[in-house]
Amino acid sequence: MSEQSSHQLIIYTDGAARGNPGPGGYGVVLLWGPKRKELSGGYRLTTNNRMELLAVIRALESLTKKNIPLTIYTDSQYVVNSVEKKWLDNWIRTDFKGGKKNKDLWMQYHALSRHFKIRFVWVKGHADNALNNRCDELATAAADGNHLLIDEGYENSL
């Protein structure tokens, strides 16, 4: 996905948790013209919001080309509103005071996001969007999988 092209990079993301908290996973579909790549991962104990955000982080980490416009489609209003409504900017300014959660992941996202021109678009989850549904399948399969990873940011906060 690093070659020059007139294509817009499109990313679909989803997160899932079996129980909240519980085993969780994320799913990502990246589209660059005719190319398609899927990513997923599962964790033994986490939350839905953490997996929604981690899906975005893993997508951005997978990109080799920087400073490109990209659109991220997600069914997480938490993620969309935190960025598009500038809530994250305020959380960073106030060092996440007032019990704002997921500072570790938000700071990872913030550092990665500086390298891209990102636009978030909310999509209705569990509806007729085939790519969002595919991300959900990836996320839930990862959450139900074997060899689940440790979400250290979450487990260390317990």
Side-chain angles (χ1 to χ4, degrees):
M1 291 203 185
S2 61
E3 69 189 46
Q4 286 277 341
S5 173
S6 61
H7 297 295
Q8 159 95 27
L9 179 58
I10 303 294
I11 300 172
Y12 280 79
T13 65
D14 196 21
R18 300 296 200 182
N20 201 17
Y26 68 85
V28 177
V29 175
L30 301 105
L31 303 168
W32 180 259
K35 295 184 180 180
R36 176 178 173 144
K37 183 176 181 179
E38 295 184 348
L39 308 171
S40 64
Y43 292 80
R44 70 180 187 187
L45 184 63
T46 191
T47 67
N48 186 68
N49 279 346
R50 287 184 67 80
M51 291 297 99
E52 295 281 5
L53 181 52
L54 190 61
V56 173
I57 290 168
R58 292 294 183 253
L60 296 177
E61 286 176 340
S62 75
L63 302 177
T64 56
K65 188 170 175 56
K66 306 289 190 224
N67 298 313
I68 56 172
L70 50 97
T71 302
I72 300 175
Y73 293 88
T74 176
D75 61 13
S76 172
Q77 290 191 7
Y78 170 68
V79 171
V80 171
N81 290 337
S82 296
V83 176
E84 295 293 323
K85 294 185 177 182
K86 310 291 187 210
W87 297 349
L88 177 58
D89 294 347
N90 187 53
W91 297 342
I92 291 170
R93 211 171 20 258
T94 61
D95 196 27
F96 291 77
K97 80 174 184 200
K100 298 297 178 213
K101 296 182 177 176
N102 306 319
K103 177 181 177 180
D104 61 323
L105 294 181
W106 279 119
M107 295 309 292
Q108 283 182 53
Y109 165 78
H110 182 69
L112 287 165
S113 70
R114 298 169 129 169
H115 301 290
F116 303 98
K117 300 175 183 90
I118 302 172
R119 180 173 70 102
F120 280 92
V121 177
W122 180 80
V123 296
K124 183 175 174 61
H126 309 284
D128 58 359
N129 186 308
L131 292 169
N132 178 258
N133 290 339
R134 177 61 183 148
C135 288
D136 181 65
E137 291 170 5
L138 290 167
T140 54
D144 293 340
N146 297 320
H147 311 294
L148 297 176
L149 302 170
I150 298 171
D151 181 350
E152 293 181 14
Y154 181 75
E155 292 196 25
N156 290 342
S157 72
L158 298 177

